[in-house]
């Protein structure tokens, strides 16, 4: 009995790993089809959509779900991606500027920049989960992502720690990169993100909201 149970568990785990590698290859393929710049964000949204449905125990056709999401969200995902990239570039440009100035103003601006970078990082951590979980207006995704990340600091720190472990694993075993980057990172973000969403719902219910 125990041998059959272990065999069944191993089979389900192996099957799940194969599906994760498959959706990762779809992400690579559709990112390339979008010429990289225009393909990455809609492919990432499609990846998170598939992972969310798996977390909700939905039995879905992987390719069809990925392709339909990629096609339907192509424009909106790229607009959001362009905004996110521009903000990131502005932060980087300001960082370069701060490194060449001297005196007290450098310290003040460095603190401001650090605070801004942390907020930006929190938004990036939660943005894709929020996008596939809620139907919002464009800039509401940013606001909700920041709110959920700040309201759940422990989960946010846990997410960062788990992502660091995943990065270390892929650094040690780079042969897995084509099969599990970025799917393993998206999986961690989705799992922790869903717990954070549930905590927000619980807090609202306690407050009678």
């Amino acid at each position: 009995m125990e041998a059959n149970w272990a065999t069944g568990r191993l089979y389900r785990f192996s099957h799940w790993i194969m599906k994760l590698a498959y959706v990762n290859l779809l992400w690579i393929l559709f990112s390339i089809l979008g010429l990289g710049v225009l393909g990455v964000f809609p492919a990432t949204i499609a990846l998170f959509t598939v992972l969310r449905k798996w977390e909700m125990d939905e039995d879905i056709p992987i390719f069809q779900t990925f392709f339909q999401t990629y096609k339907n969200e192509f424009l909106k995902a790229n607009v959001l991606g362009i905004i996110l990239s521009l903000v990131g570039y502005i932060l980087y440009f300001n960082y370069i500027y701060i490194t060449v100035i001297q005196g007290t103003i450098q310290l003040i601006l460095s603190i401001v920049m650090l605070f801004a970078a942390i907020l930006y990082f929190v938004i990036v951590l939660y943005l894709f989960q929020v996008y596939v979980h809620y139907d919002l207006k464009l800039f509401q995704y940013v606001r909700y992502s920041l709110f959920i990340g700040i309201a759940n600091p422990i989960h946010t720190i846990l997410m960062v720690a788990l992502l660091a472990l995943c990065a270390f694993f892929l650094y040690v075993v780079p042969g897995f990169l084509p099969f599990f980057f970025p799917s393993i990172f998206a999986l961690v973000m989705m799992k922790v993100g869903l717990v954070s969403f549930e905590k927000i719902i619980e807090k609202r219910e306690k407050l009678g909201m």
Side-chain angles (χ1 to χ4, degrees), residues 113-156:
M113 272 298 302
L114 177 61
F115 181 72
I118 291 173
L119 295 182
Y120 177 78
F121 186 60
V122 171
I123 290 170
V124 172
L125 285 177
Y126 284 92
L127 184 65
F128 296 106
Q129 302 96 295
V130 171
Y131 190 102
V132 302
H133 200 79
Y134 298 104
D135 184 17
L136 304 170
K137 295 180 179 179
L138 197 62
F139 286 100
Q140 285 181 316
Y141 290 116
V142 175
R143 183 161 57 88
Y144 270 56
S145 300
L146 182 59
F147 169 74
I148 292 172
I150 292 176
N152 296 278
I154 294 177
H155 293 96
T156 301

Side-chain angles (χ1 to χ4, degrees), residues 26-187:
L26 288 178
W27 181 88
I28 294 172
L29 173 62
F30 280 88
S31 294
I32 294 172
L33 288 176
L35 302 178
V37 176
L38 295 178
V40 169
F41 284 98
T44 303
I45 293 298
L47 170 63
F48 273 88
T49 298
V50 171
L51 292 177
R52 178 182 179 275
K53 291 183 181 296
W54 286 348
E55 289 299 310
M56 299 299 179
D57 293 323
E58 295 184 30
D59 187 16
I60 58 168
I62 298 175
F63 181 84
Q64 182 180 346
T65 302
F66 193 101
F67 176 70
Q68 284 298 122
T69 304
Y70 181 89
K71 182 175 66 174
N72 295 339
E73 302 297 329
F74 189 87
L75 180 60
K76 188 177 179 181
N78 272 305
V79 171
L80 193 60
I82 290 171
I83 294 172
L84 201 66
S85 299
L86 284 175
V87 173
Y89 176 78
I90 291 170
L91 288 174
Y92 175 74
F93 179 81
N94 287 336
Y95 166 76
I96 296 299
Y97 171 74
I98 290 172
T99 59
V100 300
I101 62 177
Q102 301 293 328
T104 305
I105 187 64
Q106 183 186 49
L107 176 61
I108 296 173
L109 291 177
S110 296
I111 294 173
V112 173
M113 272 298 302
L114 177 61
F115 181 72
I118 291 173
L119 295 182
Y120 177 78
F121 186 60
V122 171
I123 290 170
V124 172
L125 285 177
Y126 284 92
L127 184 65
F128 296 106
Q129 302 96 295
V130 171
Y131 190 102
V132 302
H133 200 79
Y134 298 104
D135 184 17
L136 304 170
K137 295 180 179 179
L138 197 62
F139 286 100
Q140 285 181 316
Y141 290 116
V142 175
R143 183 161 57 88
Y144 270 56
S145 300
L146 182 59
F147 169 74
I148 292 172
I150 292 176
N152 296 278
I154 294 177
H155 293 96
T156 301
I157 294 171
L158 174 63
M159 188 188 297
V160 173
L162 291 174
L163 291 175
L165 284 175
C166 291
F168 178 74
F169 170 75
L170 292 178
Y171 173 77
V172 174
V173 193
F176 283 122
L177 277 170
F179 304 102
F180 299 109
F181 177 81
S183 61
I184 192 171
F185 293 91
L187 179 64

